[in-house]
Amino acid sequence: MGGRSVIWPATIVLCYAAAPPHLSGNAFDLAAMAVLMVLSSLCHFRVKGTTIVVLSGVSIAVFLIFGLFVELILLQLGTFAYMLSRRLGKEDWYRFPVNMTMFALVSVVSGVTFYLLGGKTGVLSGGGIPQLIPIFGYIIMSYISNHLFLYFFYRLFIGAQRFIGKDAIWELVTTLLVAPVGVVLYLLYSQMGTTAICFIAVPLITLSVIFRLIKNSYDMNNLLQKTNEIGRQLTEKLDVNHIVKLFFERVAAMMDVDYALILSGEDGRDFRVVDRFVKESETLDRRTDGAGPVKWPGDLTGRIFRAGVRKEWWPSLNGLLPDYAESVLVVPTRRNTRVVGAVVIATKTRRAYGKEHLTVLEILANFLMVAVGNAQDYERTKYESERDPLTNLYNYRYFMKLLTEMFEKSVGSPFTIIMIDLDHFKQINDRFGHENGNRVLTGVAARLVEIVGDKGTVARYGGEEFIVLLPDADGQAAYLLAETIRIRLSDEPFSLYELGDKERQGRRLVRVTASIGLATAPEQGEDPLSLIRNADRAMYAGAKCQGRNRVATYIH
């Protein structure tokens, strides 16, 4: 930084000493050129990630009319205005001296080249012929020196940089487009004076604005096309976790995102974090790494919000976002006009989001809610189709599907099913009523799930019958588990009420026993139906007919 701070003023002083300006009577024209220089610097736009500035076209005319020193000073003014328009953060303020020093050196190199080729600055008199070779040398050297300075700067301070990249190509295209404008301004000024500045300024600024509008429109259309594709991808998914993950991935690919949140809450109250995204290179502080309730600011409920710097969002979102965040977008999510949450994205880059990003995030948030709603409806329907409504166990249809898959995937390792039939269950219904009978069924189901745990799958087979599938379990292991089931059922009575006891005073402890049959594949069943049939035979012949409250294994 110290070296750059010396080079910059030294360059200006040396230019003044070597080529002092002669400005008598030209103060108004000089001021008009300064205004044109500033306006042209502010009318920049981006193409494929490269910033296009028409500043160099005006600087050529200023150099040819007023000489090197004036061109250097006005180019510094335009460069300073351009850097201010970028609204750089404090961490990027080093770019001010860097860029202004670089452009000062470019001015000197280009101007010296012009003079060495025999060029002379000043207004053409008497319809003179422009100095084409010195002007061409000035333009070419301006491009080459600018590119070389940028290349070595990136190599020294940032890292590897291609010598001929897209930025160099776009800079060449820009130079070829705007250089003739500067030459024409120089020729017109020589003939018409101050009026020529107006003739050039209006179309130059107008074209810059038009190009910028076209570029913004193109970017918006491109964003909307990507948004539509992302919406299609989101709505194709039927798993909520996959949808949220895809949403974060696609948004981070479209925008500059270092941190993101999806929040959920009824009518904007008591929000909680559904999921979060943190860029791999970033970390969280202790205030933002939890998943508990979120204190959501009331002034943001139900409305979109955009901030370009930290101080704009700090009063409302302090504690929700990491300290490194600068730019923030907040979009509420709605279901049937009700606010049910919010999507929040943030980046450490200042003023990174425009109105187009807010529009896109709104659309994507709507797609997200539609996709999540569809996935939840699918999961609910799937759950209901697989579950018994009374006991919440898997139903017969799901069990048969699971058992069929076991046979298809089995490579000879044994697996066992346990058939369970409650003894004298009809007597419970007759004496205590179906309501108490249902209480027994749900109680038995709960005990079975507790006993089996993650060893297997419990399903309601029908009526008072239950069935258990035990993967990777032979007959002996299944028998021990079946005995545990039998003992737990018989030793832990149910508290029931006598039929017709409206006061619920006649509580009775009723013991429920079960007859249980086992069959192990593949020896005792080569397909799902035969395995179930053999387990049922073992239950009926080996347990029911032998006095009930027994466990029996199928025997050929």
Side-chain angles (χ1 to χ4, degrees):
M1 183 67 74
R4 291 193 292 270
S5 62
V6 172
I7 293 174
W8 179 48
T11 302
I12 296 176
V13 171
L14 289 175
C15 283
Y16 182 84
H22 301 285
L23 304 176
S24 59
N26 290 326
F28 180 80
D29 293 351
L30 184 61
M33 282 293 191
V35 171
L36 180 58
M37 187 76 81
V38 171
L39 289 177
S40 62
S41 69
L42 297 178
C43 295
H44 57 271
F45 53 94
R46 293 179 66 83
V47 177
K48 295 185 180 298
T50 301
T51 301
I52 305 299
V53 186
V54 296
L55 193 64
S56 59
V58 181
S59 69
I60 292 173
V62 172
F63 171 78
L64 294 174
I65 297 169
F66 298 104
L68 177 58
F69 180 77
V70 173
E71 185 269 343
L72 187 151
I73 295 299
L74 294 193
L75 185 59
Q76 295 289 294
L77 178 64
T79 302
F80 186 76
Y82 166 71
M83 299 298 291
L84 283 179
S85 70
R86 298 289 301 274
R87 297 180 178 179
L88 302 175
K90 292 181 179 180
E91 69 279 3
D92 293 322
W93 281 0
Y94 73 91
R95 295 188 180 185
F96 279 89
V98 168
N99 280 270
M100 296 180 76
T101 301
M102 184 188 73
F103 280 113
L105 294 175
V106 169
S107 295
V108 171
V109 172
S110 305
V112 170
T113 301
F114 176 85
Y115 293 131
L116 289 176
L117 291 174
K120 294 183 179 180
T121 58
V123 177
L124 287 174
S125 59
I129 300 173
Q131 310 159 87
L132 294 181
I133 293 178
I135 291 174
F136 184 74
Y138 175 92
I139 295 170
I140 293 300
M141 188 53 64
S142 176
Y143 167 75
I144 292 175
S145 59
N146 181 58
H147 179 60
L148 286 174
F149 285 137
L150 281 176
Y151 173 75
F152 285 115
F153 171 78
Y154 280 109
R155 291 281 295 184
L156 288 173
F157 296 102
I158 296 179
Q161 173 79 0
R162 293 178 60 183
F163 186 73
I164 302 296
K166 66 175 184 177
D167 288 347
I169 295 173
W170 276 110
E171 180 68 25
L172 176 61
V173 172
T174 304
T175 301
L176 295 176
L177 289 175
V178 302
V181 176
V183 176
V184 169
L185 175 56
Y186 166 61
L187 295 175
L188 287 177
Y189 183 83
S190 298
Q191 298 295 322
M192 304 171 60
T194 308
T195 308
I197 300 176
C198 298
F199 281 151
I200 291 296
V202 173
L204 183 66
I205 302 303
T206 301
L207 284 175
S208 297
V209 172
I210 290 174
F211 282 135
R212 190 168 185 173
L213 291 175
I214 292 174
K215 176 60 174 54
N216 290 342
S217 176
Y218 173 80
D219 287 344
M220 190 63 188
N221 288 334
N222 189 38
L223 281 174
L224 290 176
Q225 288 178 359
K226 292 180 180 179
T227 300
N228 185 61
E229 175 62 21
I230 294 172
R232 183 188 64 78
Q233 294 174 359
L234 290 175
T235 52
E236 285 178 351
K237 300 291 183 181
L238 292 175
D239 180 87
V240 173
N241 290 331
H242 290 167
I243 290 170
V244 172
K245 181 180 179 182
L246 180 64
F247 176 82
F248 283 142
E249 289 176 353
R250 295 297 183 265
V251 170
M254 287 180 66
M255 307 180 195
D256 185 5
V257 180
D258 294 317
Y259 184 74
L261 286 173
I262 295 178
L263 303 170
S264 175
E266 284 297 321
D267 295 325
R269 298 188 301 271
D270 301 325
F271 277 16
R272 62 180 180 83
V273 177
V274 176
D275 209 336
R276 74 176 72 237
F277 166 85
V278 183
K279 199 171 184 178
E280 291 182 0
S281 60
E282 304 300 336
T283 57
L284 293 177
D285 54 46
R286 288 182 298 176
R287 297 179 303 112
T288 56
D289 61 359
V294 173
K295 185 179 180 181
W296 187 252
D299 61 319
L300 292 186
T301 301
R303 74 179 184 92
I304 59 175
F305 175 74
R306 177 166 64 103
V309 293
R310 188 167 179 263
K311 67 180 181 180
E312 294 177 357
W313 61 260
W314 179 260
S316 298
L317 299 175
N318 178 27
L320 181 63
L321 298 176
D323 287 337
Y324 58 73
E326 289 284 352
S327 300
V328 172
L329 291 182
V330 177
V331 172
T333 53
R334 291 181 170 84
R335 184 176 291 118
N336 298 327
T337 71
R338 291 189 307 109
V339 176
V340 295
V343 175
V344 182
I345 68 171
T347 177
K348 59 185 177 183
T349 305
R350 293 164 62 92
R351 307 191 187 280
Y353 304 132
K355 293 181 180 179
E356 69 276 11
H357 296 110
L358 194 59
T359 300
V360 166
L361 189 61
E362 279 191 276
I363 297 172
L364 288 177
N366 289 332
F367 275 126
L368 175 66
M369 293 309 299
V370 171
V372 169
N374 291 342
Q376 289 175 339
D377 290 341
Y378 170 79
E379 289 294 334
R380 188 181 303 110
T381 302
K382 181 174 179 289
Y383 182 89
E384 292 174 353
S385 69
E386 295 176 346
R387 295 283 178 167
D388 172 60
L390 175 64
T391 63
N392 202 37
L393 296 176
Y394 288 109
N395 57 25
Y396 173 79
R397 179 195 303 171
Y398 177 83
F399 185 87
M400 288 302 296
K401 176 185 175 183
L402 190 64
L403 185 58
T404 301
E405 291 175 354
M406 284 291 299
F407 272 98
E408 292 174 350
K409 297 177 181 179
S410 175
V411 289
S413 58
F415 57 92
T416 302
I417 62 170
I418 302 174
M419 182 73 74
I420 304 164
D421 183 79
L422 303 184
D423 298 327
H424 305 298
F425 186 73
K426 185 176 182 302
Q427 296 178 9
I428 294 176
N429 280 333
D430 292 343
R431 179 180 176 184
F432 297 98
H434 287 85
E435 180 182 351
N436 279 312
N438 289 339
R439 292 184 65 224
V440 171
L441 292 176
T442 56
V444 169
R447 292 181 190 178
L448 291 176
V449 170
E450 180 185 346
I451 295 168
V452 174
D454 58 2
K455 299 184 187 69
T457 302
V458 183
R460 187 181 180 189
Y461 191 71
E464 66 269 24
E465 289 185 302
F466 301 86
I467 194 167
V468 179
L469 172 61
L470 299 175
D472 302 318
D474 57 18
Q476 182 177 3
Y479 186 89
L480 294 175
L481 183 64
E483 270 294 323
T484 302
I485 292 173
R486 183 190 68 79
I487 294 171
R488 281 282 303 276
L489 290 179
S490 62
D491 288 356
E492 299 177 12
F494 291 91
S495 178
L496 305 179
Y497 297 95
E498 293 284 358
L499 186 62
D501 183 3
K502 296 182 180 180
E503 306 299 329
R504 300 289 168 124
Q505 299 291 328
R507 177 180 296 180
R508 299 288 186 273
L509 291 179
V510 178
R511 295 185 181 275
V512 175
T513 63
S515 298
I516 303 175
L518 311 178
T520 302
E523 292 85 0
Q524 297 170 351
E526 298 178 352
D527 55 69
L529 291 179
S530 64
L531 188 66
I532 291 176
R533 184 168 55 248
N534 291 336
D536 190 58
R537 288 173 178 170
M539 180 270 296
Y540 182 75
K544 286 280 186 190
C545 294
Q546 299 301 320
R548 294 182 172 82
N549 193 20
R550 295 173 181 270
V551 176
T553 301
Y554 176 75
I555 301 175
H556 290 283

